[in-house]
Each structure stands twice: as structure tokens, then as C-alpha cells.
Amino acid sequence: MGKRQHQKDKMYITCTEYTHFYGGKKAEIPQSNFRRLPFDHCSLSLQPFEYPMCTPEGVVFDLMSIVPWIKKFGTNPISGEKLEAKSLIKLNFSKNNEGKYHCPVLYNVFTNNSHIVANKVTGNVFSNEAVEQLNIKTKSYKDLLTDEPFTRQDIITLQDPTNLDKFNVSNFFHVKNNMKVLDPDEEKAKQDPAYHLKTTNLETRETLAELYKEYKGDELLASTMKEPEAKKTDKLNAAHYSTGRVSASFTSTAMAPATIHEADAIADDAVRYQYVKKKGYVRLHTNKGDLNLELHCDKIPKAGENFIKLCKKGYYDGTIFHRSIRNFMIQGGDPTGTGTGGESYWGKPFQDEFKPNLSHTGRGVLSMANSGPNTNKSQFFITFRSCTYLDRKHTVFGRVVGGFETLTAMENVESDPKTDKPKSEIKLLSTTVFMDPYEEADAQIAAEREKEAQKQEEERAQSSSTLSKVKSEQPPKAYRAGVGKYINMAAAKRSAEEEDSKPSTSEAAAKKPKGRTGFGDFSSW
């Protein structure tokens, strides 16, 4: 017991106590480097998630983003450590009537400041307060929604407002190293900078060409930035209008001057489709029977060619009709069988084609399925009855001309009322193409181009023979050197002496007979 035993018992908190024992100033994340990721965003795509998955550490990803990443790199995009797809946990978020994420027990709307946890066993997401009060304090470790048992180690913290390090985008491994997985469209756009430009006017094309010429940066990128080659024109694809380069170069300081008008080239498909004059005929072999289809290739050439080429390719073989609604239609053409897949023959969506005389009238109309204007791919549907309200929304490109009993058998198959998927599988086994008018059109165009090439070759040969004939003619005889070397002076003197020897008369000189005037061949000189 000393004199100073109560010396530190003060009625206030000292600076040292405040700093070391009672919190005080902690190491803060520099605000300049801290970029906060919202809790409802994928840590890889940095976009709002649709199919949330999380790691055992509580890092949230979107399923569509993390699976391609794991297939390519096999690592955790946040830490760079090894990560397997089987370790991901599917999360079940609950939404209220306003579409906001909330706790399904306390109904608290989740914000960036909420303490959010998930159950590793069931994947259900709750607020920490609900789990703390109803599970941990009561020592009843059963899921609050499904009543499944779990342990305290199965509680995963998705967001702790007092520890936001894992939400700092600046510290993400894939952001620091600029790593990402490109989808096919992005890869094509990387190879072709004009991939996303569907239609460009002349000024845009010339500006891009000028940039491609003068770009001196990355060699790999510069090698892909080449000026588009001018299409060769012939009798078939030459337009009645010019390319416009002459007038554009006359008023532009960025373009090389052009002084010769050149006919613009018509698109190859537009030339080919002018020669398509017949219908196409295809048979679909299904497990319910055969369907004979007539395609309006002469009126709807693009959709008809897409369907025939996919049939020849075997794209539809083994696919199912994933959607069937009685008294409405049956839909197929998706290799994935989900209704969200499928690609056109060209690998990208093509435009709608509408004709006033082609309508969804009657049973057995063949039409393109789409997800909006100009989004036709591989999916199609066949109507069970008239659906005129679909006109100018879906492209009608054919009709059923045989096998209506098969269409009836397909309609009689019961479907799930929620998903419209047939309860018993309706499968498209294979396809047979009987008539392909596009092959005939290609053959006709090739024959005409060959004929035109032969004609030009003959004209070229004839002109070359004429030139060689002119060159082979003997040059005129030279009588002396200098000016007038081709004039025979001896013959000229002799004709003058003969005229002097004739008797002179006072009579008027006889008039020269009027003959044909014009330039002679100078043979009398």
C-alpha cells in the first residue's frame, strides 16, 4: 500500500487511455483509394447480380460471371487464390413488394449499412439481428425459413458495416491486374473495331479509314485497323449511284482527292435474293410424325435462307419443342431447350421481314420467334390457329403443307401450366431439305459472271489483236532526212514539167468535178 496507489484513478479519460484502450483513432482506409461496391453487386462484373453465389468467406459473385472466370483462370478474382466451382454457395435473397432486398424474418430492407449474414446449408439470407436473437441467443440452430439444422460455423457474413475491406474495389485482384473474361462479341469487336457499327454513312467510313491510316500506337491493334477494301463491281452488283468519293474528297481536307466516279457495290445478299424466284421445301422428322413445310424464299429470303442453312447444317437435329400452348402455337429451334438459346446461321441476329400478304392467318403458319424487333436467330414457331395480332411483330416465312395430323398430335400433348413446357417430350429428330432455291440462284449468278468474264476476255483479245496489227504495218518510206523526209521531190518536179509543156489557152480552165470532200491519205503528194 503506497502513497501513489490511486494516482491513476482520475475522473476523466486521459489521451493515452482514449488512444489505446477505448477505441480512439483507428487506421482508416484512405478515401482517395476507397471505392465502395454496393452489397447487391457482383464482385467480378461490378454490376447488379441476378443469380447470386458466394464463397465461404462471404464474397458475392454472379453465377454468369464467376463460372467462365473459374473455367479460364481457376482462381478467386478478389484474392487471386485457388477457387473451385463446387465451393460456391447459392444465395436466396428475398424481395419485398417494391423489389428491394430485405430480411424475410424481420422485413428490414437491406442497405449498404446493414449487417447481412447467410446460412451456408440452405443459402437463405437474413439480417444479423434476426440470427443473433432467434438462433444464437436461443441456441436453436435451425434455419428460420426451412427449419433445417446447421451449426454456428455455417453462418457466413456477407456484409459487416464495421469491416468494409472486402467491398473496396481498388483492392480487387482482377482490377489491379486488369484481368477479365471476354465474351464472344467482345472478342470479335477486339478483332474488328467496326463490329458494333451496323450501318455507317460515307463520312463515318472515311473518318475511320483516316484514323486507321494514321494510328501509330499498339501494333496489334493497328494491324486490325485496316482500311476496308473497296468491293469489286461488275455488271450484276454495280449500283446506279456512285460511291460519292469524288464529291466528298472535293469538300474534305482529310480525304485523298478522287477524280473518277466509281459505281457503288450492292450488298451480295441483295444481288443473290433478286435471283431467288422459287419456294423452298423442308420436311421435319419428329417423334410424333413428319411435317412438310413450304418456305416463302421468294418473298422472305433472309429468314428462309437462315432456316434452310441451319437444317442442312444439322443444327435442329435432336432439339425439342420447349413451349406448347393449346389453341395458340408450338415453339422450337433452341439447342439448349430453355427458350433463351440459339444462334442464326450468320452468328448474329438478323432483321425482320414483313409482307402485307403474309399474315398469321390459319393453322400451320411458320414464323420466327424473337425477343424484340430485329432479333431473329434460330427459334421458330408453328401456329395452331389464327394469330393476326402477331403480324408485323414476327416474320412469317412459311407454312405447313403436309402432316396436319402430326401437328394435331403435337397439340394434344399436355403442357405444364406454369412453364408451358410439354410434359412428354416432343423431339425434332432430323430435317430433310428437298428444295433449296438459294443454290440455284448462286449457280445462276456464277454462270452469268463467267459468261460476262468470257465476253470481256474476248473483247480484250480483239483489242490486243488490233493493236498488234497496227504495230506490224510497215512504216512510210523516208526519201531524205529532216523536215519533209517522206515527200518524193523527184516526182513533184516531173509533174511540174509536164504542166509547162502543155499549150496555153485563153479559155477558162475547166471546172473540176465536184467530188466527195474530206481528208485524203496524202498519196498524191
Side-chain angles (χ1 to χ4, degrees), residues 164-198:
L164 297 177
D165 290 344
K166 68 178 181 180
F167 290 97
N168 187 6
V169 178
S170 302
N171 292 335
F172 289 175
F173 179 78
H174 69 94
V175 174
K176 286 182 178 179
N177 297 277
N178 194 21
M179 300 170 64
K180 58 182 178 179
V181 178
L182 296 177
D183 61 3
D185 285 341
E186 289 184 0
E187 290 181 359
K188 290 178 182 178
K190 192 173 181 180
Q191 297 297 326
D192 181 13
Y195 176 76
H196 293 296
L197 299 178
K198 293 183 179 179

Side-chain angles (χ1 to χ4, degrees), residues 430-473:
S430 62
T431 59
T432 304
V433 178
F434 293 112
M435 181 68 178
D436 185 0
Y438 301 96
E439 287 186 351
E440 296 184 4
D442 292 338
Q444 186 178 356
I445 291 173
E448 288 196 16
R449 281 184 169 153
E450 186 177 357
K451 184 178 179 182
E452 184 69 19
Q454 290 178 356
K455 185 178 178 182
Q456 291 180 358
E457 188 66 27
E458 290 175 0
E459 291 178 354
R460 199 178 297 111
Q462 185 177 358
S463 62
S464 61
S465 63
T466 305
L467 287 173
S468 61
K469 184 178 179 181
V470 171
K471 289 179 180 179
S472 63
E473 288 182 355

